[in-house]
């Protein structure tokens, strides 16, 4: 059961990455195009002031989900590294619980503001600002599900020791994954590391 869920989560994460790339392309094309229009034709597109800003909001909030899924957020791990395994598990559980509560507040706060942002239109595009700021429903819900899943795995004892340190230097995620695969291959072939 875990493998289909992991495959689904990987596919959803990949979809979010594609949307983030599309947001970046929209931002680049509209801002660069508007600069060229202003520079050479002394005109511009009004939407190019608003749409890139909204794409940036979406890219940032979706990036938070992808960062949480890939464990790529910044943090300080000096204290956690000094703790024994039980201390790491307790700290990791506390951090997941605190993030879950924060996600609940994000969704709840957006829900409280829902009618206001749904009834407000953007100045130029005249779209409901719910299409812009409603992304916090998605972000709070998705990160909350990730934290809840992590807490369930922790309670079931299925969290690996390497996961208890959520902070990795740039590029370390790939190195840790490669090391884990190498250890698994050595275990299958009977060679001790």
């Amino acid at each position: 059961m875990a493998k289909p869920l992991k495959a689904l989560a990987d596919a959803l994460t990949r979809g979010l990455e594609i949307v983030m790339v599309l947001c970046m392309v929209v931002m680049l094309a509209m801002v660069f195009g508007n600069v060229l229009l202003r520079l050479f034709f002394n005109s511009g597109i009004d939407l190019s002031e608003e749409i890139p800003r909204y794409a940036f909001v979406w890219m940032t909030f979706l990036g938070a989900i992808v960062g949480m899924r890939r464990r790529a957020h910044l943090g300080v791990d000096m204290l956690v590294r000094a703790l024994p395994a039980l201390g790491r598990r307790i700290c990791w559980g506390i951090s997941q619980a605190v993030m879950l509560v924060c996600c609940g507040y994000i969704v709840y706060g957006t829900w409280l503001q829902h009618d206001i942002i749904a009834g407000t239109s953007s100045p130029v595009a005249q779209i409901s600002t719910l299409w812009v700021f409603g992304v916090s429903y998605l972000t709070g819900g998705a990160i909350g599900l990730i934290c809840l899943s992590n807490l369930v795995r922790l309670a079931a004892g299925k969290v690996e020791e390497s996961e208890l340190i959520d902070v990795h230097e740039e590029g370390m995620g790939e190195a840790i994954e490669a090391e884990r695969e190498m250890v698994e291959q050595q275990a299958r072939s009977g060679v001790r590391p």
Side-chain angles (χ1 to χ4, degrees):
M1 184 68 175
K3 289 206 183 243
L5 288 177
K6 185 179 182 319
L8 176 64
D10 289 342
L12 290 173
T13 302
R14 186 71 181 144
L16 291 177
E17 289 173 339
I18 290 169
V19 173
M20 289 168 52
V21 168
L22 291 175
C23 287
M24 190 165 298
V25 167
V26 165
M27 289 167 39
L28 178 69
M30 292 195 84
V31 170
F32 185 69
N34 205 37
V35 166
L36 290 178
L37 284 173
R38 289 192 191 280
L39 188 63
F40 294 113
F41 300 105
N42 200 24
S43 69
I45 302 170
D46 292 335
L47 282 177
S48 66
E49 299 289 331
E50 200 169 81
I51 300 300
R53 188 173 351 149
Y54 298 159
F56 183 73
V57 170
W58 270 78
M59 188 179 69
T60 303
F61 275 73
L62 296 180
I65 299 170
V66 173
M68 182 67 181
R69 172 85 169 90
R70 300 212 186 280
R71 298 176 22 218
H73 286 287
L74 296 175
V76 178
D77 64 344
M78 186 171 63
L79 173 67
V80 178
R81 284 192 185 276
L83 294 174
L86 178 62
R88 289 180 184 181
R89 288 186 187 286
I90 291 170
C91 285
W92 194 75
I94 290 170
S95 72
Q96 296 298 314
V98 167
M99 287 187 282
L100 181 61
V101 169
C102 290
C103 288
Y105 276 116
I106 289 172
V107 171
Y108 179 67
T110 306
W111 180 72
L112 288 176
Q113 295 291 316
H114 180 92
D115 292 338
I116 296 170
I117 59 178
T120 305
S121 296
S122 63
V124 178
Q126 291 297 306
I127 59 172
S128 171
T129 54
L130 184 61
W131 286 103
V132 181
F133 303 114
V135 70
S136 55
Y137 281 129
L138 176 64
T139 301
I143 293 176
L145 282 175
I146 292 168
C147 292
L148 188 60
S149 167
N150 287 341
L151 286 171
V152 168
R153 287 184 323 107
L154 181 66
K158 295 186 178 185
V159 176
E160 296 178 23
E161 187 73 26
S162 64
E163 291 181 76
L164 298 177
I165 305 289
D166 274 339
V167 182
H168 299 294
E169 293 180 26
E170 188 173 335
M172 285 301 291
E174 293 84 10
I176 290 171
E177 186 64 32
E179 181 181 13
R180 185 179 310 152
E181 288 175 10
M182 186 176 69
V183 168
E184 288 174 2
Q185 287 175 353
Q186 289 174 346
R188 280 185 290 228
S189 66
V191 177
R192 294 186 65 183

